[in-house]
Amino acid sequence: MTLPRRITLFSFILTAVILGSCAREETGVLARVGDETIQIKDFKTRYEKFLRASGTSDNIVQRRNVLQNMVNEVLILGKLRRDGWFEQASVRKRLTEIRLQAMLDRYAVKFIAKKIQVTEKELWEEFRHANAKVSARYLYAKTESGAWDLKRKLLEGTTFQSLARTVFSDPGLASNGGYLGYFGRGEMDARLEEVAFSLPIGELSDPVRIGVGYAIVKVEDRVDHPLLSENDYAKQKGELEDRVRTKKTIKAIEETVRSIARELSPEFVPESLTQILAQWDILQGGQVFRAETVVSQAMNPDAQIVRFEHASWSVQEFLEKLEFTTSKQRARVKSAEDLKELITGLAAREVLLERATKDGIDQEAETVAQIQEMTLRYALKEWAAGIERQVETEEVSEDELRRIYEMNKADFRHAPQVNVAEILVRTLEEAEQLRNRLDRGKDFSTLAKAHSIRLWAAKKGGELGYLTIDQYGTLGEKFAKSNVGAILGPEFVDPYYGLFKILGKKDGRQKSFSESRESILEGIRKQRKLQALQRAAHELRTKTEITIDENTLAEIRL
């Protein structure tokens, strides 16, 4: 089923792009939607971005589709305004977040990124690094103090191999001492890479912040590409400059934040930090926390948490500022030091916003355009979600569910399953040696327990349990065609090698109605949501006069 005038659900939410200026503007009105207009220059910007993103070629059908998307957006925004959606407290909060983030982004570009200079020496250094590889190993801890403890143990003589089994759930890293092998630029966490390419061979790093934890890194080898030429350098120069500029910009932003933090001279109140950390699992949810809430009652909302040189924050003030952080930022807080870093970052953010406001950044065209884009995306998503929530409450009769089941029984079947045992090892040589031992009569389960690096399966003699052919990926068909008791391998299981024994098989069978019920219900609800969006869009269009200049649409030059 399609929407009126070939509008799709995908277009409502995912094709909204920035409404700024374009290189060669054409003035004039392309379409009228009630009292609103769609300008030619705005359509051109949207359409050219659509063509680049989709990889499709220009034609009149695509032009009409994109323009109809824009018409729908005008109608939806008008509907939301009339319904008072933009006046809701939660919406105003989100729009404030959008505005502030756009100001920060523009400030970073204008006052930090644009001042970055890239030298020829830096490009050559990046070129050498980009064409070099290092081999390294690392250990992971959730907190910085945990990482320092790992480094202390390493300096005292504990091996990477013994510690890796206690800190990693990944079977490869757990069994190989955290060894990452040889890697080049862009293959690992950016901060881990930065340390690995600068650390002397054999030395241990201090704790490195990666993802939601910390790492201790040790470089074991470094290899440069021996046959690089100036011609190779010239070909890569543009990409090299982008990479260097991006890295220097990130560093400059981080240094700006650190500089502001030093100027603020924060002094933290340990008791308040302890109170907040005790409630952190709840606070990560990102709800609004006021003095009267249960969470705040477990604290003293009026107590100070931090004092700056010319100001201070209470616990309650911090909780209110916490609402403007992301779930990812909150997830990184594992200790008092992490919490201090978050608080300091929020304070530095306020300083940057004051500077941006003073400079008038919120009035600049680039900032306004980003705010428009982000607001449009948010509004369209929320409009669609509101329509879909109405559908979720609609009842679906058991008779309808059973009718669909009976009409489509062939689609509701259990796939065939195979139970396989594995011995997973790091090298082909090791796999071949184990295969020779199996061929001489050694017990598969015993060898799996002794050698397989997938630890949870090794404890069970390598048994993986019954899985479908698809769940086994590229090896699925091979397992399906093999007899029970057969041993296969060595097989490449990127980046490892495996030996496999077929333990058992189950034929596919018809699913019962009760087994199929939830998937049928989910399919009905998805279809109803799509139909509801179609009806809502059509209703908006029927209540508004829409006029499109078809001749101008066809003649717009790109």
Side-chain angles (χ1 to χ4, degrees), residues 37 53 148 150 184 187-188 199 201 272 292 294 366 405 421 478 494 524 545:
T37 62
W148 280 113
L150 289 173
E187 297 179 30
M188 296 291 171
L199 197 67
I201 294 174
S272 297
E292 66 273 12
V294 174
E366 293 87 349
Y405 172 73
K478 188 171 290 188
D494 191 13
I524 290 174
E545 184 178 352

Side-chain angles (χ1 to χ4, degrees), residues 484-497:
V484 173
I487 295 177
L488 290 72
E491 299 286 349
F492 182 58
V493 186
D494 191 13
Y496 307 121
Y497 290 86

Side-chain angles (χ1 to χ4, degrees), residues 72-133:
N72 272 12
E73 289 161 7
V74 171
L75 292 168
I76 292 167
L77 290 175
K79 167 70 172 170
L80 292 173
R81 277 193 292 269
R82 291 191 300 274
D83 291 346
W85 179 80
F86 285 95
E87 303 306 316
Q88 296 176 20
S90 60
V91 174
R92 291 201 305 271
K93 173 180 174 292
R94 179 60 187 140
L95 295 180
T96 298
E97 291 174 352
I98 288 172
R99 178 176 172 275
L100 296 181
Q101 189 57 54
M103 290 174 64
L104 288 171
D105 291 347
R106 179 60 185 156
Y107 183 91
V109 169
K110 185 175 181 179
F111 292 103
I112 300 177
K114 282 192 174 181
K115 294 181 179 179
I116 298 296
Q117 300 295 320
V118 178
T119 67
E120 198 73 16
K121 180 180 178 181
E122 289 171 330
L123 292 179
W124 272 104
E125 186 70 17
E126 181 69 18
F127 178 60
R128 284 192 292 271
H129 283 168
N131 292 279
K133 289 185 176 293

Side-chain angles (χ1 to χ4, degrees), residues 205-306:
S205 73
D206 288 340
V208 180
R209 186 71 179 262
I210 58 169
V212 293
Y214 294 82
I216 299 295
V217 182
K218 179 183 178 183
V219 175
E220 300 201 333
D221 192 20
R222 184 175 288 107
V223 179
D224 293 320
H225 194 298
L227 300 175
L228 297 174
S229 67
E230 289 199 17
N231 186 49
D232 295 319
Y233 170 74
K235 289 179 180 178
Q236 299 178 30
K237 192 170 182 179
E239 183 181 345
L240 292 169
E241 183 170 354
D242 288 342
R243 288 210 299 262
V244 172
R245 189 176 298 280
T246 297
K247 287 192 288 188
K248 291 185 74 173
T249 299
I250 292 172
K251 285 185 177 180
I253 292 172
E254 291 175 346
E255 180 52 41
T256 299
V257 172
R258 285 193 294 268
S259 176
I260 293 172
R262 289 192 294 269
E263 293 172 8
L264 292 171
S265 302
E267 294 180 10
F268 296 94
V269 180
E271 295 80 7
S272 297
L273 293 176
T274 301
Q275 286 182 354
I276 288 176
L277 282 173
Q279 301 292 327
W280 197 253
D281 286 345
I282 302 174
L283 291 171
Q284 281 197 67
Q287 297 95 332
V288 176
F289 295 101
R290 302 300 177 193
E292 66 273 12
T293 64
V294 174
V295 174
S296 293
Q297 287 172 10
M299 312 173 190
N300 178 1
D302 297 323
Q304 284 189 342
I305 188 172
V306 62

Side-chain angles (χ1 to χ4, degrees), residues 158-178:
T158 309
T159 65
F160 269 85
Q161 282 73 14
S162 62
L163 290 173
R165 284 188 172 270
T166 67
V167 301
F168 289 117
S169 57
D170 178 89
L173 292 170
S175 64
N176 71 4

Side-chain angles (χ1 to χ4, degrees), residues 531-548:
Q531 291 171 344
L533 289 169
Q534 294 169 348
R535 288 194 301 269
H538 179 69
E539 184 179 355
L540 290 175
R541 298 179 76 94
T542 58
K543 293 180 178 180
T544 307
E545 184 178 352
I546 301 169
T547 305
I548 294 174

